[in-house]
Amino acid sequence: MDITDQLTRAAENGDAAAVASLLSAGAEVDARNSARRTALELAVSAGQAEIVRLLLAAGADPCRPAGDYEELTPLLLAAMLPHAEVVKALLAAGASLGAQGLVEYVPLAVAATSGKQGYPHIVVLFLEHGADINAVMRGRTALELAIGGGKVQMARWLLRRGAKPTEYALSLACHRARQSPEAAGRYAAVINALHAARLVE
């Protein structure tokens, strides 16, 4: 196993001592291993905040392409997961909040639509760092994407945080509510919240 593979394995496993030792021995912090992955992206995906901070301090690029096809970024990977300390480390290192990666995804929208009901604590971090709650990804806002993805709790949360109650969001919520009695019950609060938010615009 070469030094880069050793570094990426140690990073993914959260072995800070090994990571520090390998970097001191000359391992390149942003080098890709035999599977085309960097230590930073593996540490991010594994939720290893201490390792992420260590790699960033050693010069790892927080904006370097990541993913199977280098279509993502470390922050997009972090936005898909609930690890707040990893996100904080990347933001502190200057990771961009705008559309990024080959797929032009917006970190806030990714966090709002990941997991079972989105990750509001991650969205909060993005908002605190100046992210636009109404930023558009694939032609839709985070609110619209959350409604379309069935994440009704996140949709209501976004409305409380000031997301724009668009006509499309309302029409999408009504459409989803008509799909079944169970859906009607789930979407009723979202529809009411959308109506209320539109009244006070």
Side-chain angles (χ1 to χ4, degrees):
M1 184 186 299
D2 71 17
I3 194 168
T4 299
D5 281 325
Q6 292 177 55
L7 176 64
T8 53
R9 174 175 291 185
E12 187 172 24
N13 291 338
D15 189 340
V19 168
S21 175
L22 289 161
L23 290 173
S24 295
E28 293 183 26
V29 70
D30 276 332
R32 296 188 180 278
N33 66 11
S34 54
R36 302 293 303 154
R37 299 303 184 115
T38 67
L40 181 60
E41 67 177 289
L42 289 173
V44 167
S45 296
Q48 303 287 4
E50 179 186 2
I51 305 299
V52 169
R53 287 190 289 267
L54 177 60
L55 293 167
L56 291 169
D61 182 358
C63 302
R64 186 177 177 85
D68 289 336
Y69 305 101
E70 299 185 16
E71 76 281 18
L72 302 171
T73 64
L75 191 61
L76 288 175
L77 289 172
M80 299 174 189
L81 300 164
H83 309 300
E85 292 304 314
V86 170
V87 172
K88 288 178 184 178
L90 291 167
L91 292 174
S96 170
L97 286 167
Q100 55 197 266
L102 292 178
V103 286
E104 289 290 300
Y105 281 174
V106 175
L108 184 146
V110 171
T113 54
S114 292
K116 187 174 180 180
Q117 278 296 332
Y119 299 122
H121 65 297
I122 303 298
V123 176
V124 164
L125 290 176
F126 293 149
L127 292 174
E128 289 174 346
H129 282 78
D132 179 4
I133 198 169
N134 295 308
V136 172
M137 181 176 87
R138 293 181 294 169
R140 301 292 177 226
T141 66
L143 173 63
E144 293 164 349
L145 290 168
I147 291 172
K151 292 175 169 51
V152 294
Q153 294 174 24
M154 174 56 72
R156 294 174 64 192
W157 185 91
L158 289 167
L159 284 166
R160 290 196 299 271
R161 298 290 298 203
K164 184 174 181 175
T166 63
E167 185 68 36
Y168 179 77
L170 180 58
S171 121
L172 184 56
C174 290
H175 171 73
R176 292 297 297 264
R178 289 193 294 267
Q179 292 180 333
S180 71
E182 187 273 337
R186 290 182 63 229
Y187 279 88
V190 175
I191 293 169
N192 290 337
L194 282 162
H195 280 303
R198 287 169 66 81
L199 287 173
V200 298
E201 273 195 300

